[in-house]
Amino acid sequence: MKKFISEFKSFALKGNIFDLAIGVVIGGAFNKIVSSLVTDIIMPIVGFLTGGINFTEYKITLVEAIGDKAAVTLNIGLFIQNVVDFLIIALSIFVTIKVIAKLEKRVKKEQKDEEKKTPEEVILLKEIRDLLKENNQGLTKEEMLQKENEEVVDMPQEGNLTYE
């Protein structure tokens, strides 16, 4: 049980879960805005253009109401309204994803361009490293140390410098 709780904690406290929760809250608010847009603006215009049909009340009655029993209806108007809601939300999400993908692509391209621009100092250091490797190729550590000591010994002393 402790393992289950610790796994749940690590799952629930990941950054992606918080991002998802924020997305759900924003999505809920966005859904209300789109629903209001469709209900209060788009559908009245569509109703006007179709000869005054009020889509919220547009129904096909399958069985009339009898006594206390409610009528059985197909609420086609509400269905059409919900389809329009869905299409607007789907279009908005599609456009948002396209914009985000385009921005991510641009950022990746800029990062690649920055990576390609190697500073001159780094290039020189790499050349020096390669030359050192080339000069010490096939030597053991002891042989490299001995070679370095010989080069230090062979260096002219301050008083023995000659200039041409």
Side-chain angles (χ1 to χ4, degrees):
M1 185 66 173
K2 286 183 181 182
K3 183 179 178 186
F4 177 78
I5 292 173
S6 67
E7 287 177 357
F8 178 73
K9 262 188 198 178
S10 67
F11 169 77
L13 297 179
K14 285 184 182 176
N16 293 342
I17 298 301
F18 289 117
D19 294 343
L20 180 62
I22 290 168
V24 167
V25 170
I26 291 173
F30 183 70
N31 184 32
K32 287 182 181 180
I33 292 170
V34 171
S35 293
S36 175
L37 171 72
V38 171
T39 304
D40 301 329
I41 296 174
I42 294 175
M43 294 313 283
I45 293 171
V46 170
F48 175 75
L49 294 174
T50 58
I53 297 174
N54 182 357
F55 275 88
T56 57
E57 296 175 7
Y58 185 65
K59 304 172 185 178
I60 296 176
T61 305
L62 299 176
V63 177
E64 294 290 331
I66 301 173
D68 292 341
K69 292 184 179 181
V72 178
T73 59
L74 295 176
N75 299 325
I76 293 177
L78 291 175
F79 176 74
I80 292 171
Q81 197 166 338
N82 287 329
V83 168
V84 173
D85 278 356
F86 169 77
L87 292 175
I88 291 173
I89 291 172
L91 178 67
S92 301
I93 291 172
F94 175 75
V95 169
T96 302
I97 289 172
K98 292 286 278 183
V99 168
I100 290 172
K102 191 173 184 178
L103 290 175
E104 285 178 347
K105 187 176 180 181
R106 185 180 300 160
V107 167
K108 285 180 182 178
K109 183 180 179 190
E110 289 173 2
Q111 288 175 345
K112 284 182 181 179
D113 290 344
E114 288 177 12
E115 290 173 2
K116 288 180 182 177
K117 295 178 185 175
T118 307
E120 194 172 326
E121 296 86 11
V122 173
I123 294 171
L124 290 172
L125 287 171
K126 286 181 179 180
E127 289 176 4
I128 292 169
R129 179 199 62 202
D130 294 341
L131 287 172
L132 287 172
K133 281 183 181 178
E134 187 178 301
N135 287 338
N136 296 325
Q137 194 172 23
L139 298 177
T140 63
K141 286 186 181 180
E142 292 81 22
E143 290 172 333
M144 283 191 285
L145 288 173
Q146 185 179 6
K147 185 177 176 182
E148 287 177 13
N149 289 335
E150 289 172 1
E151 288 174 0
V152 171
V153 171
D154 290 343
M155 288 180 63
Q157 302 299 319
E158 279 186 45
N160 298 337
L161 295 175
T162 57
Y163 299 101
E164 294 181 14

